[in-house]
Amino acid sequence: MRIAVVAITRHGIALAGRVVAALPDAHLFAPEKFRGDAANAAGGAAQCYEGKVGDQVPALFAAFDGIVAIVSLGAVVRLIAPHLKSKEADPAVVVVDEAGRFAIPVLSGHLGGANALAGHLATALGATAVLTTASDARATIAVDLLGRELGWELAATHGELVHCSAAMVNDEPVALVQEAGSGDWWVNHANGRDGPLPANVVRFERIEEVAIDDYAAILWISHRVMPAALAARLAGRCVTYRPPA
């Protein structure tokens, strides 16, 4: 990820140096009046600007995959609000307090990678990642991220993703059918999981084994085309994952 690290105070810039060191291809953006501090903190990765930090937001949104802001959470919300488009297009935004105690994903936690970025920063800074998305807070399956680290492609409508995600976090019965791909996806899932699978998830080896009416949602990991007899019955409540061949 191309990361912009934004800091607007001397203490924030000093911390930003540690953030830049922890993130490959990260660049520090700081006010011109702190050019010396920025250069000391991040060397050649430091860039300085004239004027207000808010004026930099459009260019940062366009040029970077993620933004780490060492700025108050409320200020960041106000700065980015006019520029939001969609979770598919917006960059990941993480706020870190000046003391380096907390890393808080603010925008694009899942698809944009802000949750994973916050987790990485927490490890690098000895901080706490404050994850508020339900699947991460409860360490359950994030339906829209399953297998992402393994190169699995997801096939589902927005409505199917919403339905299956809701079933997962609300502890409704979910069938997870794995017919293909690596079985080592739980520990490597999203921000990393340990312990057993969620109690509401039942695993199957073939989709024909599933008593369809007993499950609110189906997560199907396969190279196959959905059997015609099941396609209509699963409409609206199945997400398909395609591992690499």
Side-chain angles (χ1 to χ4, degrees), residues 5 11-24 26 28 40-42 70 96-101 120-127:
V5 183
H11 292 297
I13 291 168
L15 177 61
R18 295 172 58 196
V19 173
V20 169
L23 299 172
L28 168 60
N40 288 335
I70 306 175
V96 177
D97 65 293
E98 281 200 5
R101 293 176 296 183
H120 180 75
L121 289 174
T123 299
L125 301 176

Side-chain angles (χ1 to χ4, degrees), residues 75-100:
V76 169
V77 170
R78 293 181 185 279
L79 288 171
I80 67 175
H83 309 287
L84 304 185
K85 296 178 180 178
S86 70
K87 65 181 182 179
E88 291 80 15
D90 295 332
V93 177
V94 176
V95 165
V96 177
D97 65 293
E98 281 200 5

Side-chain angles (χ1 to χ4, degrees), residues 157-178:
T157 65
H158 176 72
E160 287 166 337
L161 279 173
V162 170
H163 175 88
C164 293
S165 295
M168 183 64 66
V169 299
N170 287 316
D171 294 329
E172 297 179 52
V174 174
L176 188 144
V177 185
Q178 183 162 13

Side-chain angles (χ1 to χ4, degrees), residues 22 35 47 52 74-75 94 103 129 132 143-144 151 168 178 185 200-201 211 219-220 225 235 238 240:
R35 176 175 290 275
Q47 299 182 44
K52 299 179 180 179
V94 176
T132 57
V143 171
D144 55 350
M168 183 64 66
Q178 183 162 13
W185 53 263
N200 64 315
V201 175
L219 308 182
W220 187 42
V225 175
C238 179
T240 300

Side-chain angles (χ1 to χ4, degrees), residues 5-8 29-31 49-60 67 69-71 75-76 79-80 83:
V5 183
V6 179
I8 59 175
F29 290 83
Y49 58 85
E50 297 278 5
K52 299 179 180 179
V53 65
D55 296 336
Q56 315 307 313
V57 173
L60 296 178
I67 298 170
I70 306 175
V71 184
V76 169
L79 288 171
I80 67 175
H83 309 287

